[in-house]
Amino acid sequence: MALLRPPALLLALVVSELHCLPWFINVSESQGPGTTIHSFSFNCTAHMPMLELVHVQPPTTFFNQPSLSRWQKIYVGTVTLNSLARLDALAVNHYELQLRFTCGNNVTEGPLYVYVYRDPGYSPCSGRFASPAGEIIQVRETVTPGAQLYTLLLPGLELQHAQISINSAQDPPYFPGPFSINGQGWLLAPSQGLKGQAGKVFQLQILVTFGQNRSCHGMLKVKVLPVPSSQISFLGQARNITILDDLAPGSQVVQVRAQGFDVRYEILSPVPCPLFSIGREDGVVRTTAPLELAQAWGTAVTRLQVKAYERLRPWASVDLDLTVNVRSVNRWPPRCLPAMLVTEIPETTPVGTVLNTFTCTDPDSPGSTLNYELRFHSPPGPASLCLRGRALEVNATLDCDTPGACFQHAASILVLDGGQPLMTTEVPVLVMVIPVNEFSPACVPHTFRIREDAGPHTLLGSVVGTDKDYPHNSIEYDISGGPTAFSVDRLSGTPTPGLGWKGGTRVDCKLRLWAPLLGEIHLLGSLDYELQTLYRLTVLVTDQSQDQDPTHRRSGSCTITIEVEDVNDHAPECQPPFQELTIYAPLGRSVEVTKVSCWVPQEPQRLVFSYSIVGGNSQSRFSLQGPILVHNNMLGPPWPEQPHTHELLIRVADAGPSIPHLSATATVIVHLVPWSTSTAATRTRSAAVTSMTTPLLVTDTEAFWQPEPWFVVVLTVTSALFLLALGWLFSRLFQGLAQMLQTPRKPAQALLLNSIQGTEESIEGFMEAPRMEMPQTPSSVMSLLFDGRAQDSRESPSSQTTLHLGPLSLFSPSQHLLSPPGNHYLLFP
């Protein structure tokens, strides 16, 4: 039982045609279950119309399926709120209802927009809950302790932070225990249960607080019922009944039976029930009106809720749900569009692609469910096509790349209605698969070898191209760019019968395929190993006749490498070809005569040769160590006593893997002079008799230091200054020494030794002190002070001799005697 149940509000808009969809409806959040949201009318004269609620956005169960009624040849559709509807503008304020109207083969869909607006004066405490009598609920005393008895918090109130509490007293012993309300707004039975409380009525005062300081009160009465003495229940009864639409009014449909004492029956829903009625005492369900589906399609399915109860105890009851399906008497087979399907599809059609959707209807029972079956004829087996509902789809990959795999699929779709007698319709299906050039041909890179002396039109080898598309060897060959010394056959091989396409139809052709198709590579010109040793060809392979469209072709490529093998066609040359030499041959020793230098000018990379003496070596006194000619005088007597001339012929041949081996001959004339003690051990080599001589370059590297010019200048100036200073110093020393030697010796003369420390500043500090006369002072003062003058004790005080010593200065008697630092003086009497 709901907390809210406001009075129903009818918002009716009469619309003459359905094409005026969509509608926009404003509904207050205070509207409760059963409220009519929208009503509209439309015409459908030739068929039985049908109105459906397809879906609701956002998903909710607040709206019933639209009801459809007939009034004076006009059909009226109504959209209402169901018993669970609780509108809340704060939670959801907009709903979109998608409606579908069917009138025969005409199907129209349109939206119905419902806007929920706030109602400031709306209070959740309304209806019987807020009345003085309160809401009454009945529970049996055998209810489970803590079971849910009633829902107080409606959906949407939790968004307003609603709080529900019981503010009335629940004191024992009248109350077996307190009733409680959980966070979800459920009234729960006491934890002690209600056993033994039969006949009691518990009154609960409920306080609902919501919003901002808003609240309301309500009364809830819980009536405890005793356990019935006998249990009432329906006997085994079928829940689904199917009848034909040709039953006359008053015909028996089914009889329900319930076990109990003095049982009575009634139909709870729909109320009123225009098509069926039930006997109050016998439970027989009968028709009350004609059930012709052609005139009233709404009679196809009727859901009845039948109640069985004891006459003396109405609360002892049980409910039974029955579904009555009305099926029309079958007269016509189903009709389908299209009646025949012929189509072409490429072999690359993805799995799951819908080829066609069949629309079939039963004239006897419009809107009834039909069954579809797919039957294959050629090839047999459901490998490539399948039927999902009414849609014919591709079931597997359609592959035309294997022989015999690309063919036509012949099938039929059998449509069966559910009427009596069973009637069927067969729809022929022909699906032709068209080949598609899917893959690019490819060839394997290969390396061929050919001698450089090969002639034109020489066959080097073949390039084998492959293609995954059928036929796999229908390929053309070509060379993309590259050297023009080679060519490839576009087509080669033996023609074999095959299949082809002409005007979209697959036909036989006797000279179409070439099996195998090998691209033969031929030499067109001449080769020269010395000019080029390697060729790279890019062979282009292109398929043909692989698609219904002859212009749709694919290509691939591979690299063919041609290595030219060297053929020995140049003889070596020796420089110089003729040599004449004179050597001295000491006894018991081997002497190197000369070195034969040979090469092939056209092939400078060829450096391996074999050397042999083929003439002039009668006594075998000459040998070759590679290209070096050696005279061996260790073979023993007889030794030559006179000069002798040998004319040697040396054969030089190339020794590489190339054949044939070519050779050249070098001539060496050796004048052999015997060794003697009076003969200097020398050897002379005459100039080679040739105009071409090879100079010998000798490089001798010596390490030396070459300073920078500025460093030389600075070093020179510094050395000169140092020598000048040193000379000036020595001259000063010699001059002072000479003066000392020329001075006469006196008894009172003091010998002064001056130590000079070699610095330029101290030398320049020497100067002649000015002569100063010393005034007469008492002997006591003179005995304490020394002014640097020598005085004879025999002379009178007035007779004085002044001695000038270097940088000493004369001070007055009142001054102290000071000596400059760095100068030391010694005074002798």
Side-chain angles (χ1 to χ4, degrees), residues 440-443 539-543 554-558:
S440 298
C443 56
V539 177
L540 189 66
V541 289
T542 306
D543 55 18
R554 291 178 177 268
S555 61
S557 63
C558 60

Side-chain angles (χ1 to χ4, degrees), residues 192-364:
Q192 295 82 3
L194 297 176
K195 192 70 174 177
Q197 306 296 323
K200 287 186 178 182
V201 178
F202 300 99
Q203 295 186 4
L204 304 175
Q205 293 287 340
I206 308 298
L207 174 63
V208 181
T209 304
F210 61 95
Q212 296 181 354
N213 300 326
R214 297 176 59 189
S215 62
C216 62
H217 296 271
M219 173 71 72
L220 187 63
K221 296 180 180 180
V222 181
K223 183 178 181 180
V224 183
L225 302 177
V227 179
S229 58
S230 62
Q231 296 290 340
I232 184 172
S233 62
F234 281 98
L235 301 177
Q237 183 69 46
R239 300 297 181 95
N240 293 282
I241 299 97
T242 302
I243 60 176
L244 299 178
D245 64 347
D246 58 352
L247 289 179
S251 300
Q252 180 177 340
V253 176
V254 68
Q255 184 180 11
V256 295
R257 292 183 178 274
Q259 181 182 4
F261 177 78
D262 195 7
V263 179
R264 297 291 184 267
Y265 303 92
E266 67 178 9
I267 296 178
L268 294 181
S269 67
V271 178
C273 185
L275 300 178
F276 303 96
S277 64
I278 190 171
R280 184 176 179 83
E281 296 182 358
D282 58 4
V284 177
V285 179
R286 290 181 171 85
T287 61
T288 59
L291 301 177
E292 295 183 2
L293 295 178
Q295 297 180 2
W297 178 246
T299 62
V301 179
T302 303
R303 293 178 175 84
L304 301 177
Q305 186 177 14
V306 179
K307 176 182 178 181
Y309 62 94
E310 294 182 357
R311 183 179 63 84
L312 298 180
R313 293 184 301 170
W315 61 84
S317 63
V318 65
D319 298 338
L320 176 66
D321 293 329
L322 293 178
T323 302
V324 180
N325 300 296
V326 180
R327 181 172 296 171
S328 64
V329 177
N330 212 15
R331 300 180 182 91
W332 305 98
R335 298 175 182 176
C336 298
L337 290 177
M340 181 176 63
L341 177 62
V342 178
T343 183
E344 292 182 351
I345 59 175
E347 64 171 327
T348 56
T349 303
V351 176
T353 301
V354 177
L355 302 181
N356 199 292
T357 300
F358 298 91
T359 303
C360 300
T361 58
D362 187 359
D364 298 315

Side-chain angles (χ1 to χ4, degrees), residues 442-446 448 459-466 475-479 487-490 492 516-521 537-541 557-561:
C443 56
V444 180
H446 196 74
F448 298 105
L459 176 63
L460 280 76
S462 300
V463 180
V464 180
T466 58
I475 299 175
E476 292 183 359
Y477 299 85
D478 195 6
I479 295 180
S487 67
V488 61
D489 291 344
R490 294 180 62 84
S492 61
L517 291 179
L518 304 177
E520 295 180 348
I521 299 178
L537 307 179
T538 301
V539 177
L540 189 66
V541 289
S557 63
C558 60
T559 301
I560 302 300
T561 304

Side-chain angles (χ1 to χ4, degrees), residues 714-732 734 760 763:
V714 172
L715 183 61
T716 303
V717 173
T718 304
S719 301
L721 293 177
F722 178 76
L723 293 176
L724 289 176
L726 189 61
W728 181 82
L729 180 61
F730 278 108
S731 64
R732 295 288 294 181
F734 291 150
E760 185 177 353
I763 296 175

Side-chain angles (χ1 to χ4, degrees), residues 754 765-767 805-809 811 817-825:
N754 186 14
F766 284 101
M767 61 181 63
L805 297 176
L808 267 181
S809 301
F811 299 89
L817 179 61
L818 299 178
S819 174
N823 299 324
H824 304 276
Y825 304 93

Side-chain angles (χ1 to χ4, degrees), residues 40 42 48-51 66-70 75-78 101 298:
F40 47 89
F42 48 86
M48 185 66 183
M50 184 171 59
L51 183 63
S67 62
L68 191 62
S69 61
R70 186 174 182 179
Y75 291 93
V76 178
T78 305
F101 171 67

